[in-house]
Amino acid sequence: MDLDWSPDDLAFRDEVRRFLNEKLTDDLRRAGRLATSVYPDHEASMRWQEILHAQGWAAPAWPVKYGGCRWSLTQHYIFGRECTLAGAPNLSPMGIRMVSHAIMAFGTDEQRDYFLPRILTGEVFFCQGYSEPEAGSDLASLNMQAVDDGADLVVTGSKIWTTHATEANWIFALVRTSRQAKKQQGITFVLIDMRTPGIEIRPLVMTSGEQVQNQVFFDQVRVPKTNVLGAVDDGWTVAKYLLNFERGGGAAAPALQVMAEELAQAALSQTDPNGEGALIDDPAFAAKLADARIRADVLEILEYRTLALVSSGKDPGPAASTIKILGTELSQALTELALEAAGPRGRAYQPHATMPGGPIVDYAAPADGFVSGDDWQAVASLRYFNDRAGSIYAGSNEIQRNIIAKATLGL
Ligand SMILES: Cc1cc2nc3c(=O)[nH]c(=O)nc-3n(C[C@H](O)[C@H](O)[C@H](O)COP(=O)(O)OP(=O)(O)OC[C@H]3O[C@@H](n4cnc5c(N)ncnc54)[C@H](O)[C@@H]3O)c2cc1C
């Protein structure tokens, strides 16, 4: 394994840096830097997608014929890394990184022609309807009913934790079309227009006070069969294929390294618990920060190793699961440290402390429209609450450990 970038890779990195210097405006950087979760401010994220699309870089991992880039895996990683280091807002993964690949693999020509260009421009914005109140880790036990009615399926039931359902105009969903001995059979993958009559969205207020997730109710919603992706009753095949894209790839380490560095900078100016010196000189705090920085570097090496394996055509095994566990647990540790560093100021912005059960009064809706303010203590507090979900979504960390146990220990 060679840890140095090649001259071509360095030239590519410089090209990306030039582009970011020119196009990533201060307000977009600010939106990226202050994001309290993996989802930044929606408007800023869409504006950044538009700029990337104009450059042909909105969906670099797509095949070239659909608008992707002819990049090596290393170039993909460098691009992700540079965007993170520059503070670019993330793009929503649901369309570009997830359902688009399923549409390419399982869609009809009409579905590809309609959805792919519109996902690129942002005209079509997808949310994900997999989880249900009684089906999360055990996803195959899902129950949302779809009854065959000629040219349509008629869908009734509910999906939960649906991120960005209020922003989305389409949802990709798993529905139950028949009951068979094996519960993975009889599931169908459908694309549903969120403007169809019979859909109601109820926001879920998270512990951070933010309203990003929702429960979505479907009451006799008519979905044309032309919106089925893959075959009726064989949606599990499509669902599993899509999950490879939800968990795999990406560069998680740079964002965590940036967080650790910002925290170290902040700890230089914060006072220690006794009010006697800089927080960074408090041995207990410094030891925890050092541990987090080492783990971020370990994660980076692991990402490089996975990249090297995949680039040389080898099977990375359950690396995506390992990276997901390490990344989310480290992020949680960093947000805990940030809250510790913020002290009482961090706590003051916990929304339920200021208005129990109500909307965030201060930092959720500032005049400039960004989700967070520019006071790092406040952001630390919101990030802390938001990050608790990191070990749950995209397959809980316990489930990832099961995958590793099976794949590497043969359990
Ligand atoms: C912030 C957030 C955003 C989300 N966004 C979306 C979205 O956009 N679309 C969507 O469809 N879903 C979304 N989800 C749902 C997410 O995928 C589920 O929460 C997750 O799969 C866990 O399911 P569950 O909540 O039903 O918990 P459960 O499956 O009930 O699990 C409860 C606990 O039991 C553990 N557990 C369960 N089974 C096992 C097992 N076999 N072995 C060991 N431990 C086990 C779990 O790890 C967990 O700790 C989101 C969730 C969150 C928190």
Side-chain angles (χ1 to χ4, degrees), residues 236-267:
W236 193 246
T237 310
V238 186
K240 275 194 311 186
Y241 179 81
L242 184 142
L243 282 178
N244 293 332
F245 294 91
E246 180 168 6
R247 286 174 202 151
L256 296 164
Q257 287 167 325
V258 167
M259 266 169 84
E261 179 53 32
E262 281 177 357
L263 190 53
Q265 290 303 323

Short mmCIF file of all heavy atoms in Angstrom, two decimals, residues 236-267:
data_model
loop_
_atom_site.label_atom_id
_atom_site.label_comp_id
_atom_site.label_asym_id
_atom_site.label_seq_id
_atom_site.Cartn_x
_atom_site.Cartn_y
_atom_site.Cartn_z
N TRP A 236 -37.18 -6.60 -2.66
CA TRP A 236 -36.09 -6.83 -1.70
C TRP A 236 -34.74 -6.81 -2.41
O TRP A 236 -33.74 -6.33 -1.88
CB TRP A 236 -36.32 -8.16 -0.97
CG TRP A 236 -35.44 -8.33 0.23
CD1 TRP A 236 -34.44 -9.25 0.39
CD2 TRP A 236 -35.47 -7.55 1.43
NE1 TRP A 236 -33.85 -9.09 1.62
CE2 TRP A 236 -34.45 -8.06 2.28
CE3 TRP A 236 -36.24 -6.48 1.87
CZ2 TRP A 236 -34.20 -7.52 3.55
CZ3 TRP A 236 -35.98 -5.94 3.14
CH2 TRP A 236 -34.97 -6.45 3.95
N THR A 237 -34.73 -7.33 -3.64
CA THR A 237 -33.49 -7.35 -4.43
C THR A 237 -33.03 -5.90 -4.67
O THR A 237 -31.86 -5.57 -4.52
CB THR A 237 -33.75 -8.02 -5.80
OG1 THR A 237 -34.39 -9.26 -5.56
CG2 THR A 237 -32.48 -8.22 -6.58
N VAL A 238 -33.99 -5.03 -5.03
CA VAL A 238 -33.66 -3.62 -5.29
C VAL A 238 -33.23 -2.94 -3.98
O VAL A 238 -32.25 -2.20 -3.93
CB VAL A 238 -34.88 -2.87 -5.89
CG1 VAL A 238 -34.50 -1.46 -6.30
CG2 VAL A 238 -35.44 -3.63 -7.08
N ALA A 239 -33.97 -3.23 -2.91
CA ALA A 239 -33.70 -2.59 -1.61
C ALA A 239 -32.29 -2.90 -1.13
O ALA A 239 -31.57 -2.01 -0.66
CB ALA A 239 -34.72 -3.06 -0.57
N LYS A 240 -31.88 -4.16 -1.26
CA LYS A 240 -30.54 -4.56 -0.79
C LYS A 240 -29.45 -3.92 -1.64
O LYS A 240 -28.43 -3.48 -1.14
CB LYS A 240 -30.41 -6.09 -0.88
CG LYS A 240 -30.97 -6.80 0.34
CD LYS A 240 -30.52 -8.26 0.39
CE LYS A 240 -30.74 -8.95 -0.94
NZ LYS A 240 -30.47 -10.36 -0.97
N TYR A 241 -29.72 -3.87 -2.95
CA TYR A 241 -28.75 -3.26 -3.86
C TYR A 241 -28.53 -1.80 -3.45
O TYR A 241 -27.40 -1.32 -3.35
CB TYR A 241 -29.30 -3.35 -5.29
CG TYR A 241 -28.41 -2.73 -6.34
CD1 TYR A 241 -27.32 -3.44 -6.84
CD2 TYR A 241 -28.66 -1.45 -6.82
CE1 TYR A 241 -26.50 -2.87 -7.81
CE2 TYR A 241 -27.84 -0.89 -7.78
CZ TYR A 241 -26.77 -1.60 -8.27
OH TYR A 241 -25.95 -1.03 -9.22
N LEU A 242 -29.62 -1.11 -3.16
CA LEU A 242 -29.52 0.32 -2.81
C LEU A 242 -28.74 0.51 -1.49
O LEU A 242 -27.98 1.47 -1.35
CB LEU A 242 -30.93 0.91 -2.69
CG LEU A 242 -31.02 2.40 -2.42
CD1 LEU A 242 -32.18 3.00 -3.21
CD2 LEU A 242 -31.25 2.68 -0.94
N LEU A 243 -28.93 -0.42 -0.54
CA LEU A 243 -28.25 -0.27 0.76
C LEU A 243 -26.73 -0.27 0.62
O LEU A 243 -26.02 0.36 1.41
CB LEU A 243 -28.69 -1.36 1.73
CG LEU A 243 -30.06 -1.16 2.38
CD1 LEU A 243 -30.41 -2.34 3.28
CD2 LEU A 243 -30.12 0.14 3.18
N ASN A 244 -26.20 -0.95 -0.39
CA ASN A 244 -24.74 -0.92 -0.62
C ASN A 244 -24.26 0.50 -0.83
O ASN A 244 -23.14 0.85 -0.48
CB ASN A 244 -24.36 -1.72 -1.87
CG ASN A 244 -24.62 -3.18 -1.69
OD1 ASN A 244 -24.58 -3.67 -0.56
ND2 ASN A 244 -24.91 -3.88 -2.78
N PHE A 245 -25.13 1.31 -1.44
CA PHE A 245 -24.73 2.70 -1.73
C PHE A 245 -24.95 3.60 -0.53
O PHE A 245 -24.31 4.62 -0.38
CB PHE A 245 -25.51 3.22 -2.95
CG PHE A 245 -25.15 2.49 -4.21
CD1 PHE A 245 -25.85 1.37 -4.61
CD2 PHE A 245 -24.06 2.90 -4.96
CE1 PHE A 245 -25.49 0.68 -5.75
CE2 PHE A 245 -23.70 2.21 -6.12
CZ PHE A 245 -24.43 1.09 -6.51
N GLU A 246 -25.91 3.22 0.36
CA GLU A 246 -26.17 4.03 1.55
C GLU A 246 -24.98 3.98 2.50
O GLU A 246 -24.60 4.96 3.10
CB GLU A 246 -27.44 3.55 2.26
CG GLU A 246 -27.77 4.37 3.51
CD GLU A 246 -29.15 4.11 4.08
OE1 GLU A 246 -29.84 3.20 3.59
OE2 GLU A 246 -29.54 4.83 5.00
N ARG A 247 -24.37 2.78 2.63
CA ARG A 247 -23.31 2.64 3.64
C ARG A 247 -21.91 2.77 3.07
O ARG A 247 -20.98 3.06 3.80
CB ARG A 247 -23.43 1.26 4.31
CG ARG A 247 -24.60 1.24 5.24
CD ARG A 247 -24.82 -0.15 5.80
NE ARG A 247 -26.20 -0.26 6.24
CZ ARG A 247 -26.90 -1.38 6.27
NH1 ARG A 247 -26.35 -2.50 5.91
NH2 ARG A 247 -28.14 -1.37 6.67
N GLY A 248 -21.75 2.53 1.80
CA GLY A 248 -20.38 2.42 1.28
C GLY A 248 -19.76 3.75 0.88
O GLY A 248 -20.42 4.78 0.83
N GLY A 249 -18.46 3.69 0.62
CA GLY A 249 -17.74 4.82 0.01
C GLY A 249 -17.62 6.04 0.89
O GLY A 249 -17.87 6.01 2.08
N GLY A 250 -17.22 7.14 0.27
CA GLY A 250 -17.17 8.40 1.01
C GLY A 250 -15.92 8.57 1.83
O GLY A 250 -15.11 7.65 1.99
N ALA A 251 -15.74 9.78 2.31
CA ALA A 251 -14.57 10.11 3.11
C ALA A 251 -15.06 10.70 4.42
O ALA A 251 -15.33 11.88 4.51
CB ALA A 251 -13.69 11.09 2.35
N ALA A 252 -15.20 9.85 5.45
CA ALA A 252 -15.72 10.32 6.74
C ALA A 252 -14.64 10.96 7.60
O ALA A 252 -14.90 11.89 8.36
CB ALA A 252 -16.37 9.16 7.49
N ALA A 253 -13.40 10.46 7.46
CA ALA A 253 -12.33 10.90 8.36
C ALA A 253 -12.04 12.41 8.29
O ALA A 253 -11.89 13.05 9.34
CB ALA A 253 -11.06 10.11 8.09
N PRO A 254 -11.98 13.01 7.09
CA PRO A 254 -11.62 14.44 7.07
C PRO A 254 -12.55 15.31 7.90
O PRO A 254 -12.10 16.21 8.61
CB PRO A 254 -11.72 14.80 5.58
CG PRO A 254 -11.50 13.52 4.87
CD PRO A 254 -12.09 12.46 5.73
N ALA A 255 -13.86 15.04 7.86
CA ALA A 255 -14.80 15.87 8.63
C ALA A 255 -14.50 15.74 10.12
O ALA A 255 -14.58 16.72 10.87
CB ALA A 255 -16.23 15.45 8.34
N LEU A 256 -14.15 14.53 10.55
CA LEU A 256 -13.88 14.31 11.97
C LEU A 256 -12.55 14.94 12.37
O LEU A 256 -12.40 15.47 13.47
CB LEU A 256 -13.89 12.80 12.26
CG LEU A 256 -15.27 12.19 12.01
CD1 LEU A 256 -15.20 10.67 11.92
CD2 LEU A 256 -16.25 12.60 13.10
N GLN A 257 -11.59 14.90 11.44
CA GLN A 257 -10.31 15.56 11.73
C GLN A 257 -10.52 17.07 11.87
O GLN A 257 -9.94 17.71 12.74
CB GLN A 257 -9.30 15.25 10.62
CG GLN A 257 -8.80 13.82 10.70
CD GLN A 257 -8.05 13.38 9.45
OE1 GLN A 257 -8.39 13.80 8.35
NE2 GLN A 257 -7.06 12.52 9.61
N VAL A 258 -11.38 17.62 10.99
CA VAL A 258 -11.66 19.06 11.08
C VAL A 258 -12.33 19.37 12.43
O VAL A 258 -11.99 20.33 13.12
CB VAL A 258 -12.56 19.51 9.90
CG1 VAL A 258 -13.11 20.91 10.13
CG2 VAL A 258 -11.77 19.46 8.59
N MET A 259 -13.30 18.54 12.82
CA MET A 259 -13.98 18.75 14.10
C MET A 259 -12.99 18.74 15.26
O MET A 259 -13.04 19.57 16.16
CB MET A 259 -15.02 17.65 14.34
CG MET A 259 -16.42 17.98 13.91
SD MET A 259 -17.46 16.49 13.95
CE MET A 259 -17.94 16.45 15.66
N ALA A 260 -12.06 17.75 15.23
CA ALA A 260 -11.08 17.63 16.31
C ALA A 260 -10.17 18.86 16.34
O ALA A 260 -9.83 19.38 17.41
CB ALA A 260 -10.27 16.36 16.13
N GLU A 261 -9.79 19.32 15.15
CA GLU A 261 -8.90 20.48 15.08
C GLU A 261 -9.62 21.74 15.60
O GLU A 261 -9.06 22.52 16.37
CB GLU A 261 -8.44 20.68 13.62
CG GLU A 261 -7.52 21.87 13.36
CD GLU A 261 -6.30 21.88 14.27
OE1 GLU A 261 -5.81 20.81 14.63
OE2 GLU A 261 -5.85 23.01 14.63
N GLU A 262 -10.88 21.91 15.20
CA GLU A 262 -11.65 23.07 15.67
C GLU A 262 -11.79 23.04 17.19
O GLU A 262 -11.70 24.06 17.86
CB GLU A 262 -13.05 23.07 15.02
CG GLU A 262 -13.04 23.58 13.59
CD GLU A 262 -14.40 23.51 12.93
OE1 GLU A 262 -15.37 23.01 13.55
OE2 GLU A 262 -14.50 23.93 11.77
N LEU A 263 -11.99 21.84 17.69
CA LEU A 263 -12.15 21.69 19.13
C LEU A 263 -10.85 22.03 19.85
O LEU A 263 -10.85 22.71 20.89
CB LEU A 263 -12.57 20.24 19.41
CG LEU A 263 -13.02 19.88 20.81
CD1 LEU A 263 -14.12 20.80 21.29
CD2 LEU A 263 -13.51 18.44 20.82
N ALA A 264 -9.73 21.58 19.27
CA ALA A 264 -8.42 21.89 19.87
C ALA A 264 -8.21 23.40 19.90
O ALA A 264 -7.74 23.97 20.90
CB ALA A 264 -7.31 21.21 19.08
N GLN A 265 -8.58 24.07 18.81
CA GLN A 265 -8.44 25.54 18.74
C GLN A 265 -9.31 26.21 19.81
O GLN A 265 -8.87 27.11 20.51
CB GLN A 265 -8.85 26.06 17.36
CG GLN A 265 -7.90 25.70 16.23
CD GLN A 265 -6.48 26.18 16.49
OE1 GLN A 265 -6.28 27.26 17.04
NE2 GLN A 265 -5.51 25.36 16.13
N ALA A 266 -10.55 25.71 19.91
CA ALA A 266 -11.46 26.31 20.89
C ALA A 266 -10.94 26.10 22.31
O ALA A 266 -11.05 26.99 23.17
CB ALA A 266 -12.86 25.70 20.74
N ALA A 267 -10.36 24.90 22.55
CA ALA A 267 -9.88 24.59 23.90
C ALA A 267 -8.69 25.44 24.29
O ALA A 267 -8.35 25.56 25.47
CB ALA A 267 -9.52 23.11 23.99
#
